[in-house]
Amino acid sequence: MLGAMQDWDLRVTRIIDHAAREHAGREIVTRWADGSETRTNWAEVRRDALKMTQALQKLGVKKGERVATMAMNHSRHLVSWYGAVGVGGVLHTINPRLFDDQLEYIANHAEDQVLLYDHAFAPIVERMKPRWNTIKHYICYDNGEFEDWIGAEDGNTEWATGDERDPCMLCYTSGTTGNPKGVLYEHRSTMLHAITSLQPSIFDFDATAVMLPVVPMFHAAAWGLPWGGAAAGVKFVFSAVNDAAVLCELMNREKVTHSAGVPTVWLATFQHMDATGITLPTLRHAIIGGSAAPRFMIERLMKAGVNVAHAWGMTETSPIGTTGAKTFDWADLGFEAQVDIKQMQGRVPFGVELRTVDLGDPSVVLPRDGKTSGALQVRGPWVIKRYFKAEADTTDAEQWFDTGDVAILHPDGTLQLTDRTKDVIKSGGEWISSVELENAAVGHPAVAEAAAIGIYHPKWDERPILVVVKKKGEEVTAQEIRDHLAKSVAKWWLPDAVEFVDEIPHGATGKISKKDLRDQFRDYKLEDA
Ligand code: ADP
């Protein structure tokens, strides 16, 4: 016997229908690259998305076909998210910072049919056109082109219907090894993820929220914000440029209450605030993720009265995995203890399951004892099962997905990431966490950025070295850094050498590229090696 409730398939077009009906006039503000500003609202976004579905139909886009974007954050990009899925297509957000070989690979692998792009990326598009085999139509967002294109339609149409497990979005991971891999989200997985994301410990969204997402719409589905934000009817403030002065000005003028970005974004914001004396009095919720947020960052935001959601996730998890959810005894904890908890990666919402297994033998499930570190595995309805076009599942028989992260789980479920499997440094049979060394190093006032890598050592197998970029105008010696580290890490963890460089290599999502760094230091010899 089946239950007797209604058929209401979990398709993401329902989200924009809801936003347009219940939050029609709530604004979407865009500050464009040329400094101009436009305002639209949820009702207009829906109408424009419907027009876009008609325009895509005329281009011949069929159900399941991929519609790609290469764009920063703005209202036309938002319209395209709903327009692409509205026609029954699959939205493929391309990261413009990828290298040419990766750009070639992913657009061809995705078999993109249409590409919508910012004028700022026109040089990339021109360069790549001869290498992209499947894209038939190129539409620029700027110079009136996008408006003219959808403006020829009347919006008098309906969303494509289908199964809630139809695909709706495709994101490629940047692929630190080998080719990038595609993660194919479904309507249902995206909808469940969106509903979950609204809760206080994640986005803390209701209709009073004014969200400025700094996380780009091409990175890990912008953490699902365009879906979750519409479901709650938030006001969005988009900036098509990522400049701290612009962001701070916008935040104050538009009374932004919520923002989301990787730690480097917050660093740049703090630097601008310190240099100008600007404060962000309306900000009340900051989502930080993508890489570990250093302690001083969390502390500074919390002292300013901002609730910090330090989140862990990955493209393969849609991306929300954990956030800095409060523990039941939060009110009884002192400030320092609260920061200690927020510095870890937090706890799962309902819908995500975590476990750790032995790094050498994945059949051994490790205890949640707050001490033992192992390979982190995850499962749930918005976690990947199989990469796009892959023949085999990427999970084990019980659907556990191996994250490539190394972590400790605490008895209360708190996740503490200690490293990535590829980056842990193995010294004398024991593991040294490169992440912990880096976090401790950036706590030094003269250090702008730091990265730890393992260097071959005949006796210990590997020993850590720390590569450091100094802050402008600051001086610090290797010994001073070692003394600073000694306050927070075990003596045998202290790096054998500290090397100062002008720049540390970064990958396409702005994270430190350990692979490139290891390549740079391939021939490095330790003094006692
Ligand atoms: P990429 O693999 O291209 O970097 P993702 O955005 O999918 O793209 O990266 C996911 C990875 O980022 C995670 O597996 C984890 O290693 C790291 N990460 C994400 N959030 C955090 C966090 N809060 N603290 C530490 N590491 C994080």
Side-chain angles (χ1 to χ4, degrees), residues 377-456:
Q377 301 189 333
V378 59
R379 69 179 182 191
W382 55 86
V383 176
I384 188 167
K385 181 153 96 188
R386 193 183 321 111
Y387 286 103
F388 182 48
K389 291 188 176 173
E391 277 173 17
D393 289 354
T394 185
T395 54
D396 69 9
E398 292 176 336
Q399 296 206 79
W400 288 104
F401 169 70
D402 198 283
T403 63
D405 285 321
V406 182
I408 296 171
L409 285 172
H410 289 255
D412 67 0
T414 299
L415 169 71
Q416 181 185 356
L417 273 211
T418 57
D419 220 329
R420 302 198 79 162
T421 330
K422 295 186 273 316
D423 297 339
V424 278
I425 299 159
K426 194 167 194 183
S427 174
E430 304 272 355
W431 303 103
I432 295 175
S433 157
S434 64
V435 172
E436 271 184 59
L437 284 176
E438 289 154 12
N439 281 349
V442 293
H444 190 285
V447 174
E449 197 169 29
I453 51 170
I455 297 286
Y456 170 73

Side-chain angles (χ1 to χ4, degrees), residues 242 284 327 430 518:
N242 268 348
R284 58 175 202 247
T327 47
E430 304 272 355
R518 277 192 286 265

Side-chain angles (χ1 to χ4, degrees), residues 147-226:
E147 256 81 16
D148 288 349
W149 179 55
I150 63 167
E153 309 301 330
D154 60 12
N156 198 3
T157 185
E158 307 216 326
W159 306 122
T161 52
D163 195 280
E164 62 179 23
R165 299 210 56 170
D166 284 344
C168 67
M169 188 167 184
L170 179 62
C171 281
Y172 283 76
T173 62
S174 56
T176 37
T177 51
N179 278 323
K181 294 197 278 279
V183 184
L184 190 65
Y185 307 124
E186 303 163 349
H187 281 265
R188 173 179 179 270
S189 71
T190 305
M191 180 76 103
L192 293 172
H193 181 268
I195 296 168
T196 300
S197 74
L198 307 185
Q199 53 186 270
S201 61
I202 306 180
F203 294 154
D204 187 31
F205 272 165
D206 62 23
T208 68
V210 182
M211 162 54 92
L212 190 155
V214 189
V215 53
M217 288 168 83
F218 53 77
H219 186 205
W223 302 351
L225 284 163

Side-chain angles (χ1 to χ4, degrees), residues 472-493:
K472 265 204 197 91
E474 299 279 346
E475 274 313 319
V476 61
T477 64
Q479 191 51 46
E480 282 162 355
I481 290 190
R482 281 171 54 90
D483 292 346
H484 171 80
L485 294 176
K487 290 183 225 156
S488 46
V489 304
K491 194 150 171 279
W492 64 275
W493 278 35

Side-chain angles (χ1 to χ4, degrees), residues 174 219 290-292 310-315 345 405 417 420 509 511:
S174 56
H219 186 205
S291 54
H310 179 203
W312 164 85
M314 50 201 312
T315 305
Q345 280 70 16
D405 285 321
L417 273 211
R420 302 198 79 162
T509 53
K511 296 184 207 181

Side-chain angles (χ1 to χ4, degrees), residues 449-451 467-469 501-506 512-513 517 520:
E449 197 169 29
V467 184
V468 170
V469 181
V501 296
D502 293 335
E503 212 180 338
I504 288 176
H506 290 89
I512 291 174
S513 169
L517 196 64
Q520 273 179 25

